[in-house]
């Protein structure tokens, strides 16, 4: 196989790896967002049920109605269940684990992008060595990464394909840069 064919195959493989890491990174971001949203909903529900239980207890003191006692006892059990559930279920901690994984994947993603940028000036063996190093780093990240699901992947896919969350228009990039580094204005 010629050097050109070898380089082409390596580039194809590295591009594929880059794409998979882009999706994994975005999927973990979406999963973290969903976990954080779940935490907010659970906390709000817990506050509402606790407030209703407290109101019911106060109502019992004032009105001494049987139905109010029954409703307050029921709400008390719901409050206990919600508290016990939140003790064993930590969507905030899970969200943080997904954010940490996404952060590590971002670094790998950028390293793959740099390798794609630099590989034409590198010997084939150096490209292979860097690819292998990145795959090893990626493997270590995936071993400790929390699980994602199809819903998070679908959200990531929509974000990347349709909302273009990873792409920039050249003019957008120019807005971030000092005048002397801009391209569109030159």
């Amino acid at each position: 196989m010629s050097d050109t064919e070898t380089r082409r195959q390596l580039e194809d493989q590295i591009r594929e790896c880059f794409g998979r890491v882009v999706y994994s990174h975005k999927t973990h971001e979406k999963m973290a967002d969903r976990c954080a949203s779940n935490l907010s909903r659970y906390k709000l529900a817990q506050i509402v049920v606790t407030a209703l239980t407290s109101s019911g207890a106060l109502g019992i003191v004032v009105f001494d109605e049987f139905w109010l006692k029954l409703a307050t006892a029921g709400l008390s059990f719901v409050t206990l269940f919600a508290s016990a559930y939140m003790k064993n279920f930590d969507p905030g901690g899970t969200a943080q684990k997904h954010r940490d994984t996404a952060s590590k994947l971002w670094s790998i993603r950028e390293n793959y992008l740099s390798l794609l940028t630099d590989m034409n000036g590198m010997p084939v063996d150096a490209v292979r060595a860097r690819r292998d190093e990145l795959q090893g780093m990626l493997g270590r990240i995936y071993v400790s990464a929390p699980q994602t699901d199809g819903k998070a992947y679908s959200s990531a896919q929509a974000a990347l394909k349709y909302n273009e969350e990873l792409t920039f228009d050249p003019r957008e990039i120019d807005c971030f840069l000092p005048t002397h580094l801009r391209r569109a204005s030159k």
Side-chain angles (χ1 to χ4, degrees):
M1 187 180 328
S2 73
D3 187 57
T4 303
E5 290 171 0
T6 301
R7 282 186 174 282
R8 181 65 180 186
Q9 286 180 353
L10 275 171
E11 182 180 358
D12 289 347
Q13 182 193 24
I14 293 167
R15 287 171 54 89
E16 183 76 21
C17 291
F18 172 74
R20 284 194 302 263
V21 172
V22 165
Y23 266 87
S24 292
H25 169 256
K26 187 55 70 176
T27 301
H28 279 282
E29 282 186 338
K30 295 299 179 182
M31 196 76 187
D33 291 346
R34 202 165 88 228
C35 289
S37 178
N38 285 342
L39 176 63
S40 293
R41 280 196 302 275
Y42 291 137
K43 291 289 188 181
L44 180 60
Q46 198 173 19
I47 289 168
V48 167
V49 173
T50 301
L52 290 172
T53 303
S54 298
S55 298
L58 184 59
I60 289 170
V61 170
V62 174
F63 298 110
D64 196 30
E65 295 286 331
F66 178 74
W67 68 268
L68 192 55
K69 291 176 184 179
L70 194 61
T72 302
L75 285 169
S76 177
F77 281 112
V78 171
T79 303
L80 177 63
F81 175 77
S83 296
Y85 183 73
M86 289 301 292
K87 179 185 179 298
N88 296 322
F89 178 65
D90 184 16
T94 303
Q96 188 58 50
K97 288 176 186 173
H98 283 290
R99 283 189 190 97
D100 292 345
T101 298
S103 179
K104 293 172 188 173
L105 289 171
W106 176 86
S107 177
I108 298 293
R109 183 190 81 188
E110 294 302 306
N111 277 294
Y112 271 118
L113 184 58
S114 294
L115 179 57
L116 285 166
T117 302
D118 298 340
M119 69 180 285
N120 286 335
M122 295 171 65
V124 171
D125 289 341
V127 173
R128 278 191 187 113
R130 183 65 178 141
R131 175 206 58 196
D132 293 347
E133 179 184 355
L134 289 173
Q135 287 174 335
M137 292 165 63
L138 192 56
R140 288 186 291 280
I141 291 169
Y142 284 142
V143 163
S144 62
Q147 292 293 314
T148 59
D149 59 22
K151 189 172 181 179
Y153 181 83
S154 294
S155 295
Q157 189 175 40
L160 293 168
K161 280 187 172 182
Y162 307 115
N163 300 340
E164 298 181 1
E165 287 190 15
L166 187 63
T167 59
F168 296 96
D169 180 273
R171 291 176 301 242
E172 282 181 280
I173 296 170
D174 278 350
C175 288
F176 304 143
L177 294 170
T179 307
H180 71 279
L181 294 176
R182 295 178 182 178
R183 287 186 180 170
S185 61
K186 291 182 180 179

